[in-house]
Amino acid sequence: MPMKGRFPIRRTIEYLQKSDIFFKNTVKIMTVNYNTHGELSEGARKFVFFNVPQIQYKNPWVQVVMFKNITPSPFLRFYLDDGSQVLVDTEGKTNKEILQHVKKILGKPEEVLRAEELAKMVHSNPANFGPQKYFPRECMCEMEGQVPCPGLIPLPKEMRGKYKMQAEAEDA
Amino acid sequence: MSLKTATVHAKWIIGKVIGTKMHKTAKVRVTRLVLDQYLLKYYNKRKTYFAHDALEQCTVGDIVLLKALPERRSKHVKHELTEIVFKVGNVIDPLTGKKVAGTKFIESLGEPTEDSAGSLTNKLDKLTLSAAPGEAHEKNSGL
């Protein structure tokens, strides 16, 4: 059974993750002004339909607001943390051109992205143990070849603290 | 519990003014896109914020840019008005700087100045209403 709606591929996680625009940390708000009719806004409309979900998926802390039919010319506006605004005219551009332009001016460059990824990897060491939510393993007993969990299989007497204490007491 | 000195991640927000009945305070509705987990589609989720507006210059329907205050002003007011982005009824196109009404520039629609009243009276004078059928036909064709 196929997915519902036109271009339902937009609603797949794989599609949402495909975007590579990570906004710089100073970008707080993205505003898209476009018109519902007219050829000039065609690129902006496609941008909103296809690309805005991808951008919002990768930048969950940026507020994205859409305005329809407010001004005759379509544009994008970004509000940065220091109060400055960046105006991007989209009249006559296709949605791919808009994407590339936005990535060039406000996207994090590749080196920064790679550095951040490395930093994340350093933080999340797969050798650590802990709650299942954050780490791959909780206890050593899960590994093959290690002592099985004493909750399931009782430990042999020699390993139990009780007997060790008794043996020491006998020796002493 | 200590007081929050700065709002979390809502440093700058854009919203629409929905109420100005409070003294020097505007009620602003902010929409953010939230992903529906099952449909995987983004929908607008609304949240209202109260913003301090010292000059009471907002009207209902303005699109407004708010900035987070360094300290809470009162129990609910944590933001202040920085800029009216689009004033209702008086939208200015940022690319050209001209006044705009919907998707048309106001200048292209023609100037409705005081001449309109004068021209209407002139038109009324010109309108000679008579019962003659020929003239009535002409007027109808004109319409």
Side-chain angles (χ1 to χ4, degrees), chain B residues 8 19 23 32 43 51 60 65 88 93-94 108 119 121 136:
Chain B
V8 185
H23 293 293
R32 290 195 170 94
Y43 290 99
V60 177
L65 176 69
V88 83
D93 185 15
S108 66
S119 64
T121 48

Side-chain angles (χ1 to χ4, degrees), chain A residues 11-13 16 28-29 31 33 35 52-53 56-57 61 63-64 66-67 69-75 77 79-81 83 85 87 89, chain B residues 9 11-15 30-33 35 38-42 44 63 65 83 85-86 91-95 100-105:
Chain A
R11 299 195 287 116
T12 47
I13 295 244
L16 290 173
K28 298 288 172 192
I29 308 177
T31 302
N33 264 278
N35 295 332
V52 158
Q56 178 80 101
Y57 189 78
W61 299 116
Q63 182 192 5
V64 180
M66 251 73 79
F67 293 114
N69 297 326
I70 290 199
T71 72
S73 46
F75 58 90
R77 219 192 224 170
Y79 294 83
L80 308 181
D81 206 8
Q85 301 169 14
L87 194 62
D89 189 8
Chain B
H9 90 79
K11 300 264 159 57
W12 294 86
I13 14 179
I14 278 205
V30 161
T31 57
R32 290 195 170 94
L33 288 174
L35 183 69
Y38 183 69
L39 296 175
L40 289 179
K41 200 172 169 186
Y42 278 99
N44 282 323
I63 310 292
L65 176 69
E83 187 200 332
V85 177
F86 296 119
V91 179
I92 297 182
D93 185 15
L95 291 168
V100 146
T103 50
K104 299 203 173 134
F105 289 104

